Amino acid sequence: MRPLTARDGLPLTVVHVQGRHPPTRGPVLVVHGAGVRAELFRPPLPRTFVEALIDAGWDVWLLNWRASIDLDPMPWTVDQAAAHDHPAAVEHVLAATGADRLKAVVHGQGSTSFVMAAAAGLLPQVDTVVSNAVSLHPVVPAVSRFKISKVAPIVSRVLPHLSPAWGDRPEGFAARCVADFVRATHRECRNGVCRMVSFT
């Protein structure tokens, strides 16, 4: 894991995943969604997406941007990530590899913010973007709009932030209460972190 500084000074990290053989193709930046981490793409499975990229000859870089659970919790917006995180990550990977172009695979809110940066002209060195789950025009369901406008202001009086990691390790009494509520009301997946992501 390598340190990386966003354009606004925020500390981020990037993971350079190397295979047994040197890459024969250019760099690929892989960007996670909100409330997870770069290692999301390397779960304990016999073959992962990252291994498939490496086996195909790509030079793989995983970004932990400001929404990563590997970083200290903080308030953030997709605008901040688009303006500060993704351009810094692209510049870092290009400087480290000596390449002048790269490709990106982006997921969730990492996809939204990355595509915003590209559409704003902040990523001219990126020649291909594979966007997954959501992109430039997200459609927010009514229940989510209700949570954002009505529930979030109430919860913010008690908790400075919500963390998907509370699905596994709630921090304190209020976090345990939220995790218990989510466990009881969100049954769309069996994983506690997945349920917390769905709730938030």
Side-chain angles (χ1 to χ4, degrees), residues 42-68:
R42 296 194 325 166
L45 297 172
R47 182 169 164 82
T48 69
F49 169 68
V50 170
E51 290 166 335
L53 287 173
I54 290 170
D55 290 346
W58 296 102
D59 187 9
V60 180
W61 297 76
L62 310 176
L63 173 63
N64 276 307
W65 59 287
R66 67 187 63 215
S68 172

Side-chain angles (χ1 to χ4, degrees), residues 3 5 9 17 23 40 49 117 134-135 153 176 183 192:
T5 303
V17 185
L40 164 80
F49 169 68
V134 66
S135 192
R176 281 193 302 278
R183 202 172 298 114

